[in-house]
Amino acid sequence: MKGHCLCGQVRFEFTGSPPWCGHCHCESCRRATASPFTTWIGVRRDACRFTGIEPVVRQSSPGARRSFCHSCGSPISFESKRWPDETHLYAALLEHPAAAVDTLLNRYPDAETIKLHPADVPFFITLCKTPGKPVNF
């Protein structure tokens, strides 16, 4: 799967299926994205590479690093000592986010039965493009 920042200078790709995807509502993620939550896709660090310019990396808190595009400022990734083998990428940066949903549904076929927080429903309906069947993964 591939993705890129707003201006397209920072591009990335990863191979294999993402092991997980989820929302984070922590204060750090809310402040980094100026939003109530963000949706991450976790990928194996050795399966991810940058194909455009390298993003700028800054330590955002002890043991954690966030990256962003030096040109447009788009946040790109999060890495932490807590998950040393993973890179967390913003789902919104994927070129084809529905492909990630399909991949994860194949891995977790019962995901459609999990209840969503009401605030998440419109996001998943839009992302999955299957009105009436939101997905939590």
Side-chain angles (χ1 to χ4, degrees):
M1 291 185 201
K2 297 179 181 181
H4 58 84
C5 67
L6 179 63
C7 72
Q9 290 186 38
V10 174
R11 295 185 165 278
F12 62 85
E13 63 185 26
F14 60 90
T15 57
S17 67
W20 64 270
C21 183
H23 293 318
C24 187
H25 301 81
C26 80
E27 182 178 0
S28 180
C29 286
R30 290 192 322 261
R31 290 185 182 277
T33 61
S35 63
F37 67 91
T38 194
T39 304
W40 294 106
I41 293 187
V43 299
R44 285 187 1 258
R45 194 169 292 177
D46 63 358
C48 181
R49 70 184 185 103
F50 290 99
T51 58
I53 64 169
E54 291 284 323
V56 175
V57 178
R58 296 283 185 256
Q59 183 173 331
S60 58
S61 57
R65 302 173 347 139
R66 292 179 185 270
S67 71
F68 60 94
C69 174
H70 83 284
S71 181
C72 67
S74 293
I76 304 296
S77 68
F78 171 84
E79 293 179 349
S80 172
K81 288 182 180 179
R82 290 174 54 187
W83 303 284
D85 299 326
E86 294 181 4
T87 296
H88 302 169
L89 299 165
Y90 290 92
L93 299 177
L94 291 176
E95 291 178 359
H96 303 288
V101 172
D102 291 342
T103 299
L104 290 162
L105 280 176
N106 287 334
R107 179 176 282 182
Y108 306 106
D110 62 341
E112 291 182 315
T113 65
I114 297 171
K115 292 185 178 182
L116 293 171
H117 184 280
D120 295 343
V121 172
F123 170 79
F124 282 104
I125 289 173
T126 301
L127 180 65
C128 300
K129 296 183 181 171
T130 54
K133 293 186 84 178
V135 178
N136 186 19
F137 47 87

